[in-house]
Amino acid sequence: MAGRIPDHFIDELLARVDIAEVVGERVQLRRSGSNFHGLCPFHGEKTPSFTVAADKQFYHCFGCGAHGSAIRFLMEYDRLEFREAVEQLATLAGMEIPEESRQAAPRPEQGALYDLLERASRTFQGWLRQHPQRERAIEYLRQRGVSGEIAQRYAIGFAPPGWDNLLKALGDPSNLQRAGLLIEREGNRTYDRFRDRIIFPIRDRRGRTIGFGGRVLDDGEPKYLNSPETPVFQKGQELYGLHEVLLADRHPPDIVVVEGYMDVVALAEHGVPRAMATLGTATSTHQVERLFRASSDIIFCFDGDEAGRRAAWRALESALPAMRQGRQVRFLFLPDGEDPDSLVRTEGREGFEAHLTQATSLSEHLVTHLSDGVDMQSMDGRARFIEKAIPLLQRLPPDVYRHMLLERIASLGRLDTDYLEGVVDGRHKPERTRRPSAPEPGLADGSGVRRTPVRLAIALLLEQPSLANEVEDIESLKGLDDLPGLPLLVQLLELARHEPHITTSAMLERFQDSEHEAALWKLATWDHLVPASGLGSEFADAMNRVRHLHADRRLQSLNERLQAGTLTPEEWEEWIRLKAL
């Protein structure tokens, strides 16, 4: 298994790669000063709000909030995993990933399984075309409205009746069993797992066959049978139809998540080729992340009965850790007695698309579910509502989306947003003062960033990391938590001092997916109105004000202890020193 790619390699890679070149190969950009502008590739827009900052080596969309380094851009635009994006950029920059961090090649036994599974898929397809007993399968697909074109696109096949058809066709019983295609019974005897079934190959994002689903042709049970877990197939991580969706459209406007293989196939048959299905298990967070790699808009489509609503709630809980600004999850509950297959055959593509426009947002579904059966007009009812919401809010990553949902929940519960946020974050003494509805005069600008010395120092440091060398005594700032953001400022100062050549994009990459990500990106894109020629002096002034603010707060605390007569000798000396400042 490959090791973790070292931070110093990522830093150097981002310093060597020109993000404007990477983005410019995929998005039409126009230069404006030191930056480039264009239409955002992550949401539809007519007026450019997408900016690539060449000097800071990051991109940011002021419309949808998408942001990141060259690594994140490739992950989001080319649908790559982190390591794949790093490998692609390393090739572009002429760099080699450290030996101990390189992606290990598939183990020989895994390679053998991929080959065997592909041979099995071709065998099943061949039986659908030529086997003497294929007529029942052909008739079933014809009744379901599946054309030859769609059957070929999804590599649909047929497993004929019989106990050992696949074993006779392919041999290699040991690997067939490891691939989940044979079942062992008493006496070390084996038989084919899939018999007398329509076969749906499950392919990974790269198009490799990793497993199968089989639909019975009579009234037998189970109706659907899936491959078991194998060295190359984990149900909770894969999605049926992912490969086919990305072949049809690398950047689909949304993804429709359904429950069955036939739902995926029927939607594709009727002109909706962007459907995927989970593999007989509850939707996992890993699957949601993979869905977001394909599209920023996910629509879960469930039956409107109780079972469908339970499945939708489980999907919502799994989606919460993946929710960030610019991502959207919606839920569509179908009319009673309908599934996507029957609905699209009855109403056609336009009718089904019309239903999709009525899908409920994640936030609305969450609120509706939590308030169901709760008296929101009574204090006790609202308290119960908040109690149920807290563990769900705690699953959200720190981000604009989380803050907006907190505000919505707090408003419905008639609570102060800061107080609820304090409870969700586990702070022992959350501030109970209500947030001002408008910025205090002189302290904030149109960006919504309140101009404090700590925030300004962080913003300037992000713009020019070398400013950290101007701070003589970082140690004296450690352990001070009386100023919001000060511990983060210390982290950034130490990082910039320890890595003297670190760039802005590499600095931000270090905090990707951390609790500080949203705040740092807001400050990195904040127009603080300080000219480049004045960065040094303004940073020094901000750091001086940080120290003075801390001194004032510390002196106030010592004054209270002085009046109470509880100052220690060391605190008395500190009080004298601070009074002299």
Side-chain angles (χ1 to χ4, degrees):
M1 184 175 180
R4 180 178 180 273
I5 300 176
D7 288 333
H8 69 79
F9 180 85
I10 299 296
D11 296 342
E12 184 179 354
L13 176 64
L14 292 175
R16 286 198 194 184
V17 170
D18 182 1
I19 191 173
E21 178 182 338
V22 174
V23 177
E25 289 181 352
R26 297 159 175 83
V27 179
Q28 186 174 357
L29 299 174
R30 291 186 178 181
R31 178 182 286 275
S32 176
S34 62
N35 293 336
F36 294 85
H37 299 281
L39 295 176
C40 180
F42 304 115
H43 81 287
E45 62 176 8
K46 296 182 179 180
T47 302
S49 60
F50 182 78
T51 298
V52 177
D55 53 344
K56 301 175 185 177
Q57 287 296 296
F58 65 71
Y59 68 92
H60 183 84
C61 176
F62 292 91
C64 71
H67 58 248
S69 63
I71 296 173
R72 175 53 67 94
F73 182 83
L74 287 184
M75 289 175 66
E76 298 293 341
Y77 189 87
D78 286 353
R79 318 304 187 197
L80 302 179
E81 301 293 341
F82 176 81
R83 180 176 291 276
E84 293 173 324
V86 171
E87 290 173 347
Q88 186 167 321
L89 289 176
T91 301
L92 181 65
M95 297 174 64
E96 288 192 7
I97 294 177
E99 186 70 32
E100 67 276 10
S101 303
R102 292 181 186 172
Q103 181 68 53
R107 295 190 297 273
E109 61 270 25
Q110 286 186 326
L113 290 185
Y114 286 127
D115 291 341
L116 184 61
L117 287 161
E118 184 57 37
R119 288 170 57 205
S121 180
R122 291 198 299 267
T123 300
F124 288 134
Q125 292 177 70
W127 283 336
L128 181 62
R129 293 192 300 269
Q130 298 179 346
H131 196 278
Q133 294 175 285
R134 72 185 188 279
E135 288 305 324
R136 291 173 61 244
I138 296 292
E139 181 59 25
Y140 174 83
L141 293 173
R142 185 181 296 117
Q143 289 179 357
R144 300 298 294 267
V146 179
S147 66
E149 177 189 350
I150 292 298
Q152 184 175 3
R153 181 187 305 176
Y154 285 86
I156 295 173
F158 168 59
W163 295 97
D164 57 0
N165 291 295
L166 196 61
L167 179 58
K168 288 179 178 177
L170 300 181
D172 198 359
S174 177
N175 274 331
L176 279 173
Q177 191 170 342
R178 293 182 64 251
L181 293 169
L182 291 186
I183 296 176
E184 184 177 358
R185 58 183 175 182
E186 294 181 6
N188 294 325
R189 300 177 65 186
T190 59
Y191 58 92
D192 291 350
R193 178 178 296 275
F194 298 103
R195 307 177 310 280
D196 200 19
R197 290 176 180 268
I198 298 291
I199 298 297
F200 301 89
I202 301 164
R203 297 189 277 200
D204 65 10
R205 185 174 55 83
R206 293 167 58 179
R208 298 177 299 187
T209 301
I210 55 177
F212 298 93
R215 206 282 184 192
V216 71
L217 284 171
D218 52 28
D219 296 329
E221 293 292 338
K223 180 183 291 187
Y224 282 96
L225 179 67
N226 293 321
S227 291
E229 300 269 321
T230 72
V232 298
F233 178 55
Q234 292 79 43
K235 293 181 185 179
Q237 298 184 19
E238 303 297 340
L239 294 152
Y240 177 71
L242 172 61
H243 173 67
E244 290 78 8
V245 166
L246 295 181
L247 277 181
D249 186 350
R250 290 288 295 171
H251 305 287
D254 54 43
I255 293 294
V256 183
V257 182
V258 294
E259 295 186 81
Y261 303 112
M262 277 305 306
D263 293 324
V264 173
V265 171
L267 288 173
E269 184 69 58
H270 288 82
V272 187
R274 59 189 194 280
M276 302 181 197
T278 54
L279 303 174
T281 60
T283 308
S284 68
T285 300
H286 186 95
Q287 288 172 320
V288 174
E289 286 286 3
R290 300 199 75 178
L291 288 164
F292 276 131
R293 288 274 180 268
S295 176
S296 60
D297 188 357
I298 301 171
I299 305 173
F300 287 101
C301 186
F302 292 104
D303 295 344
D305 59 14
E306 185 60 31
R309 292 189 175 274
R310 284 197 302 269
W313 185 250
R314 289 194 296 269
L316 180 147
E317 291 179 312
S318 296
L320 289 175
M323 293 302 297
R324 297 199 300 268
Q325 184 181 10
R327 293 179 169 185
Q328 180 175 228
V329 167
R330 293 181 285 159
F331 296 90
L332 173 63
F333 295 102
L334 300 179
D336 289 344
E338 296 280 9
D339 57 30
D341 179 9
S342 64
L343 189 64
V344 77
R345 281 192 285 145
T346 302
E347 300 188 15
R349 182 184 64 82
E350 292 185 0
F352 187 81
E353 295 278 8
H355 282 281
L356 292 179
T357 64
Q358 304 301 315
T360 304
S361 68
L362 182 146
S363 59
E364 287 299 325
H365 185 53
L366 184 144
V367 168
T368 300
H369 183 91
L370 293 180
S371 59
D372 184 34
V374 173
D375 181 8
M376 296 297 289
Q377 301 305 312
S378 72
M379 183 179 69
D380 290 347
R382 292 193 300 274
R384 175 61 179 154
F385 171 76
I386 294 295
E387 180 185 354
K388 293 195 296 182
I390 287 172
L392 298 170
L393 294 171
Q394 289 172 333
R395 302 190 67 179
L396 287 163
D399 190 77
V400 173
Y401 182 85
R402 176 181 185 263
H403 183 74
M404 294 177 68
L405 189 53
L406 271 164
E407 286 187 326
R408 175 81 189 283
I409 297 295
S411 174
L412 291 170
R414 301 182 192 177
L415 274 182
D416 182 89
T417 302
D418 285 344
Y419 176 76
L420 178 58
E421 192 165 15
V423 174
V424 169
D425 290 341
R427 297 196 298 266
H428 296 296
K429 295 180 180 180
E431 296 182 8
R432 295 172 180 267
T433 55
R434 185 171 298 276
R435 186 183 304 236
S437 58
E440 296 178 26
L443 293 181
D445 55 27
S447 68
V449 177
R450 191 166 182 264
R451 197 181 189 90
T452 69
V454 171
R455 288 178 180 146
L456 182 59
I458 290 176
L460 298 177
L461 185 61
L462 288 173
E463 184 164 347
Q464 189 172 315
S466 61
L467 290 172
N469 296 322
E470 307 301 321
V471 182
E472 296 180 358
D473 186 13
I474 297 178
E475 290 297 320
S476 65
L477 298 173
K478 290 184 177 180
L480 308 180
D481 55 3
D482 51 1
L483 290 179
L486 187 54
L488 176 58
L489 174 58
V490 171
Q491 276 186 267
L492 293 168
L493 288 168
E494 290 188 321
L495 174 59
R497 288 279 284 272
H498 186 259
E499 306 281 351
H501 302 296
I502 196 168
T503 62
T504 299
S505 61
M507 224 171 177
L508 291 166
E509 187 67 38
R510 292 286 185 95
F511 290 88
Q512 198 75 41
D513 296 324
S514 77
E515 60 180 319
H516 303 300
E517 178 188 354
L520 286 176
W521 277 102
K522 194 168 187 178
L523 292 173
T525 56
W526 174 37
D527 185 4
H528 46 64
L529 303 179
V530 178
S533 59
L535 289 179
S537 59
E538 194 71 30
F539 179 76
D541 180 61
M543 290 303 303
N544 283 333
R545 283 184 287 151
V546 167
R547 295 184 187 278
H548 282 298
L549 278 172
H550 166 67
D552 289 343
R553 294 195 179 191
R554 179 60 178 161
L555 184 59
Q556 181 180 354
S557 175
L558 293 175
N559 280 333
E560 293 174 357
R561 293 176 59 79
L562 177 64
Q563 294 175 13
T566 57
L567 277 182
T568 66
E570 293 79 10
E571 289 174 335
W572 177 259
E573 291 181 5
E574 184 183 5
W575 182 84
I576 294 174
R577 179 175 56 81
L578 291 175
K579 288 291 286 185
L581 291 179

